[in-house]
Every structure is written in C-alpha cells, then in structure tokens.
Amino acid sequence: MTRRTIIVKRDVQAKGKANAAAERERLGRRGTLVINILSSPGAGKTTLLEATARHFAGRRTMAVLVGDLETDRDAQRLAPLVPTVQLTTGGACHLELPLVQQGLTALGDPAVDFLFIENVGNLVCPASHDLAEHLRVVLVSTTEGDDKPGKYPKMFRTSQAMVITKTDLLPYLPFSVDAVTEDARQIQPQLDVLSLSALHESGVSDWCEYLEQQYQRQLAAYHEPAAK
Amino acid sequence: MHERSLVKNLLHQVQQIAAAEGNGAVEEICVQAGTLSGIEPFLFQTAFEDMASPILGAPCRLILEVVPLTALCNDCDHQFEVIDFKFRCPVCQADSVHVVEGDEVKLMSITVNSEEPLDGVTS
Ligand SMILES: Nc1nc2c(ncn2[C@@H]2O[C@H](COP(=O)(O)OP(=O)(O)OP(=O)(O)O)[C@@H](O)[C@H]2O)c(=O)[nH]1
Ligand SMILES: [Mg+2]
Ligand SMILES: [Zn+2]
C-alpha cells in the first residue's frame, strides 16, 4: 500500500472564474455592458428592469436573461418590452455561467448595449458566482430593513452599486437611507449608491444615467489606443 | 444553499487529480475556506458527507480549515485581519484595500492510497 499526499492549493472555482473572465472580455470588447442584478426575493428587480426598458426604448438596445427557480412569469412581464429569455434553475438558488451562456445563445447572442441578468432572489449564494458581468448591482428595498448589508457581507463586498428600491414607501417605514448606506460602505467603501421608486418611475432616469456612464466608461476602456 | 454545487465541483476535481495520479482510493481531502468564501462550513461538511461516497466510490474524510479574512492596504501595504467585515486599514485609515486570503474555497491537498505499488516500485 502506498499512501501519498498530493499538494494542490487551487481555488475550487478557478475554472469557472477564468471562463467568466474570458466571456466578460468578449462581450466588453464588442460593446455590451453586462449587469448582474441581485436582491432578496421581491425587492423589485423585474419592476426596475421594466422601467429601465421603457426609459431606454429608442435610445439604447438591451436584452434580459431572467433567472428563477420555477415559472416564466418574469419573462412574460419583460418580453413585451425587450428580448428576454427565462432561465429556470429547477430548484438551484443561484445562476451559474453555463446557464447564462445557454440563455445568451437562445437570444441569438445579440450585440446589445446592455445585457441584464436578473439573478434568482437570494442575497447569499449568487454572490459567489461570477456571471461574466461588468457591473454587479445589489437592490435593497425599503421594506427589508436598513440592517441588511452587514448580514450579507459577501453580496455587498462584491457589488459595485447598491440601489435602494421602493422609496415611495419611506414615509411608512422605519428605514434610513443614511443608515443602510453607512452599513454597506463599511463593507464596500467604493460602493455607488442610488435610490428610486420603479413603481412611480422616480429616480429611474438617474439610474439609467448611471448605466449610461458605466457604458461610456467601458467603451473608452476598450478603445484606448494601447489596448491589446 | 449552494454548498452542494461547490462540493460536487470539488469532488469532480479531486476525481480528476486522483485519476491522473494512478486512481488510488482518496482517503482525505483538505480544504481551506475563509469567512468571505461564501460557504457555511457546517452545510459544506454535510453536503460533503452526502456526496463523497457516490462520486468517489468510497468514503473519504474532509478536513475543512477556516482561515481568517486577510486584506492588504493599497496605500500603506499593511496586512491585517478583517474584523466584522470592516474594510478599512487600521493603520492609515485608507478604505482602498484588497482581500489576500479568505474569499475563496481552496483545495489544498488530497491523500491517495494505492493498493498496488507505484509503477516501477516493487515491495
Ligand atoms: N411600492 C412599491 N412597490 C414596488 C416597487 N417596485 C416593485 N414593487 C412591488 O414589489 C413586488 C415585487 O416586485 P418584483 O419586481 O416582482 O420583484 P423581484 O425582485 O423581481 O422579485 P423576484 O424575481 O421574485 O425575486 C411587486 O408587487 C411590485 O409591484 C416600488 O418602487 N414601490
Ligand atoms: Mg423578478
Ligand atoms: Zn493603510
């Protein structure tokens, strides 16, 4: 009998991360900004995407891949507005890159300006999965309470922006925009923070302006003269 | 609860490494994970106990070491343990820091037991 210990020292997700980096590069280079939208269930992801689609209509092209455990209800809401594919995880609590790539193929891999991925409603597991996004945005709705960032540190640490949703309900709730912002910035000091009510379409144009800035920034980055 | 998908991914990598090393029985797997790795150690351990035998063909021990979350200051190069997920340099107060350890699930080593002696070795 021979017993041997083989030293590996490898990130278990190394291959997935490398695949995501390659896909991000491919999509970025051709001018598509990929945005991964995350939140707990019902924070308003689909409602915000509906408002975003209405705002960008005739100005910017976009498509949506929407993930849920079951049903195509969200896709039915978005499909009248923009090209949409429902990704059904069949019980899995998060999206992974291969399923996203299948969805993109099903869409015909369109060279849109914005590709939105609405992740499964969950503040835990999706944080650990790179979907080739350029921008990770976490939504926190006013009804969830302003103490959420500290409870889900990985989600907030890995996001570039936090969007506070359902601000129309602020008068009725003990929710402080300052408190949630401070809590989130302990974890991610560089976090961009926006707030809006998608239902009343207030703050939506600032959100779209933010996306436009990110889009222009990326375009510039890929077209720098020295870019190889 | 995505621990199952990570454990499955881990076990398939272990299987490949073991096959490349002559297909012995995998007796032990050492994994390191930090507080920002996105796994819950107990759930990871439970998923492992469930899935190791069916995938590897025999029971196997998991040594799961939880490592501290460590960051490096981008301004003053100070390395520190991140407490309570407060990402600020305790020396210069800079808030631009990056994680150097504790945000991954790392396969450290596997211990394989071959019934037959290795090629060319007689005992
Ligand atoms: N008051 C108010 N309600 C909103 C707002 N945005 C969304 N909602 C409501 O919140 C509920 C959930 O919204 P969705 O957009 O379906 O949320 P979601 O995050 O896509 O949900 P899942 O995909 O199931 O996780 C719906 O009843 C919406 O009408 C808002 O700005 N204000
Ligand atoms: Mg939705
Ligand atoms: Zn410092």
Side-chain angles (χ1 to χ4, degrees), chain A residues 134-150:
Chain A
H134 300 99
L135 191 66
R136 181 176 286 197
V137 180
V138 58
L139 270 50
V140 181
S141 58
T142 53
T143 48
E144 285 165 64
D146 53 22
D147 63 343
K148 291 301 165 285

Side-chain angles (χ1 to χ4, degrees), chain A residues 205-226:
Chain A
S205 57
D206 285 350
W207 153 250
C208 291
E209 180 54 34
Y210 175 76
L211 292 175
E212 179 69 26
Q213 279 167 17
Q214 299 298 315
Y215 177 78
Q216 294 297 344
R217 211 164 83 179
Q218 160 152 312
L219 217 58
Y222 277 105
H223 289 86
E224 265 165 21

Side-chain angles (χ1 to χ4, degrees), chain A residues 45-46 66 68 74 77 118:
Chain A
K45 298 180 293 298
T46 308
V66 52
D68 279 296
D74 282 0
R77 286 166 59 186
E118 177 182 331

Side-chain angles (χ1 to χ4, degrees), chain A residues 154, chain B residues 32-39 65-71 82 85 87 99-106:
Chain A
K154 185 160 193 172
Chain B
Q32 269 188 2
T35 45
L36 206 65
S37 61
I39 63 151
E65 189 197 349
V66 177
V67 295
L69 179 57
T70 309
V82 178
F85 303 103
F87 286 86
V99 173
V100 289
E101 188 176 71
D103 64 348
E104 296 172 340
V105 180
K106 246 189 191 158

Side-chain angles (χ1 to χ4, degrees), chain A residues 54-218:
Chain A
R54 282 192 291 270
H55 181 95
F56 278 137
R59 301 188 226 188
R60 286 274 171 221
T61 53
M62 62 178 268
V64 181
L65 301 173
V66 52
D68 279 296
L69 274 72
E70 299 293 348
T71 82
D72 63 351
R73 288 176 191 165
D74 282 0
Q76 284 183 24
R77 286 166 59 186
L78 291 160
L81 301 166
V82 282
T84 304
V85 163
Q86 179 80 46
L87 309 174
T88 313
T89 66
C93 50
H94 61 279
L95 292 175
E96 293 191 22
L97 183 64
L99 189 60
V100 166
Q101 287 174 317
Q102 274 176 34
L104 194 53
T105 305
L107 270 176
D109 194 14
V112 286
D113 302 326
F114 296 109
L115 174 68
F116 292 92
I117 304 167
E118 177 182 331
N119 219 308
V120 176
N122 176 346
L123 282 177
V124 187
C125 312
S128 297
H129 297 272
D130 188 341
L131 302 182
E133 70 266 27
H134 300 99
L135 191 66
R136 181 176 286 197
V137 180
V138 58
L139 270 50
V140 181
S141 58
T142 53
T143 48
E144 285 165 64
D146 53 22
D147 63 343
K148 291 301 165 285
K151 294 186 179 185
Y152 303 96
K154 185 160 193 172
M155 180 58 75
F156 289 84
R157 178 69 197 169
T158 59
S159 293
Q160 282 91 62
M162 169 172 77
V163 175
I164 299 159
T165 62
K166 310 192 189 181
T167 52
D168 55 290
L169 299 176
L170 277 173
Y172 315 102
L173 297 164
F175 182 97
S176 158
V177 171
D178 288 345
V180 78
T181 303
E182 195 189 317
D183 198 31
R185 285 198 173 138
Q186 299 265 12
I187 301 164
Q188 178 51 281
Q190 278 82 37
L191 198 69
D192 297 318
V193 179
L194 294 99
S195 53
L196 53 83
S197 165
L199 202 63
H200 297 211
E201 305 227 354
S202 97
V204 173
S205 57
D206 285 350
W207 153 250
C208 291
E209 180 54 34
Y210 175 76
L211 292 175
E212 179 69 26
Q213 279 167 17
Q214 299 298 315
Y215 177 78
Q216 294 297 344
R217 211 164 83 179
Q218 160 152 312

Side-chain angles (χ1 to χ4, degrees), chain A residues 26-44:
Chain A
R26 180 183 82 84
L27 292 166
R29 197 158 280 288
R30 75 150 191 224
T32 296
L33 186 79
V34 183
I35 303 134
N36 189 359
I37 308 255
L38 306 110
S39 79
S40 50

